[in-house]
Amino acid sequence: MLGLKLATDPRWAALVESNIEEILTDHAWCEQKAATNAITIITLNSEHEDLVTDLLILAQEELEHFQMVHELIKKRGYKLGRERKDSYVNELFKHKVKQGGSRQQGLVSRLLFSAMIEARSCERFKLLSEKIKDPELSKFYHDLMVSEAGHYTTFIGFARKYGEGIDVDKQWQDLLEFEGKLIQNYGKKETIHG
């Protein structure tokens, strides 16, 4: 369904398990950034009432996920560390910006960029839900995988809706190809995208 060109190496899950505190901190900040991204899209495209309505719900869900991860961190006696730089997301964003063009194209690019992050997160959460030995975390990541799949669908749907006259499917395929090469450099750290 997601169309990703390269699956995450299952050994990444074992790496994550070796440092749960680090993955939880990184994950918490990913959720915060996802909420901020949704609000940014709303701010820049407030004329689209349906987009505003749906992305407000999505932003609230992302903040709830941030809170859920933070509660897990506290429950396990960890501390929420400082925000992490996400090189994967930064490289995807640079690729998105290169597409440039009109305001409409900017919206489509931002929505596809957002869909890609949700797709990769969904794929990684699925892997964690299947491979991680901790039953609480396994269920937690399964539930979040389902949510991320919904977010992916929301972003793709709006890109197609507001991409009239733009070959959205071609741009999505191009982004999938780029991400498939990009992700080869990741999966070596105990971070969601690392």
Side-chain angles (χ1 to χ4, degrees):
M1 173 189 122
L2 300 171
L4 297 172
K5 300 297 182 187
L6 183 66
T8 298
D9 186 328
R11 292 176 292 185
W12 172 77
L15 181 63
V16 164
E17 264 189 314
S18 73
N19 194 347
I20 297 297
E21 184 172 8
E22 179 63 25
I23 192 71
L24 290 176
T25 289
D26 182 70
H27 181 186
W29 290 114
C30 286
E31 299 293 355
Q32 177 272 323
K33 290 171 193 169
T36 300
N37 180 58
I39 291 168
T40 298
I41 294 171
I42 290 167
T43 303
L44 297 173
N45 302 280
S46 57
E47 68 276 15
H48 301 302
E49 185 177 315
D50 58 342
L51 180 138
V52 171
T53 299
D54 288 1
L55 291 193
L56 278 171
I57 293 167
L58 190 148
Q60 288 170 340
E61 288 176 6
E62 299 290 18
L63 280 176
E64 287 170 11
H65 295 168
F66 185 18
Q67 182 178 12
M68 289 164 59
V69 179
H70 187 236
E71 291 302 321
L72 261 178
I73 289 169
K74 292 189 303 183
K75 179 181 174 185
R76 289 169 179 249
Y78 302 145
K79 298 283 184 205
L80 176 64
R82 302 293 297 170
E83 180 184 356
R84 307 309 201 243
K85 178 181 169 190
D86 193 328
S87 299
Y88 165 84
V89 170
N90 291 339
E91 288 188 61
L92 266 185
F93 188 79
K94 285 178 193 168
H95 180 73
K96 174 207 80 71
V97 170
K98 286 180 187 172
Q99 294 178 5
S102 67
R103 188 165 182 273
Q104 179 195 21
Q105 176 59 63
L107 171 59
V108 168
S109 294
R110 184 70 177 243
L111 291 167
L112 293 179
F113 158 79
S114 302
M116 181 59 69
I117 294 168
E118 298 290 344
R120 181 55 69 184
S121 298
C122 179
E123 186 258 355
R124 292 234 162 148
F125 291 168
K126 181 177 188 294
L127 180 62
L128 288 176
S129 75
E130 294 170 348
K131 299 290 184 189
I132 206 160
K133 293 176 186 78
D134 182 313
E136 181 183 33
L137 288 178
S138 176
K139 181 181 181 336
F140 179 69
Y141 281 111
H142 178 271
D143 294 346
L144 287 182
M145 170 197 68
V146 172
S147 180
E148 300 297 299
H151 296 171
Y152 155 81
T153 302
T154 296
F155 286 124
I156 285 282
F158 279 122
R160 290 185 174 128
K161 178 173 185 174
Y162 290 112
E164 187 178 333
I166 296 172
D167 192 343
V168 174
D169 290 330
K170 181 184 182 317
Q171 287 189 18
W172 178 244
Q173 290 305 314
D174 290 348
L175 188 57
L176 283 168
E177 291 296 330
F178 175 80
E179 197 272 351
K181 294 178 183 131
L182 175 64
I183 202 66
Q184 292 176 28
N185 301 320
Y186 294 92
K188 300 167 182 77
K189 295 191 320 190
E190 56 277 80
T191 59
I192 296 298
H193 302 119

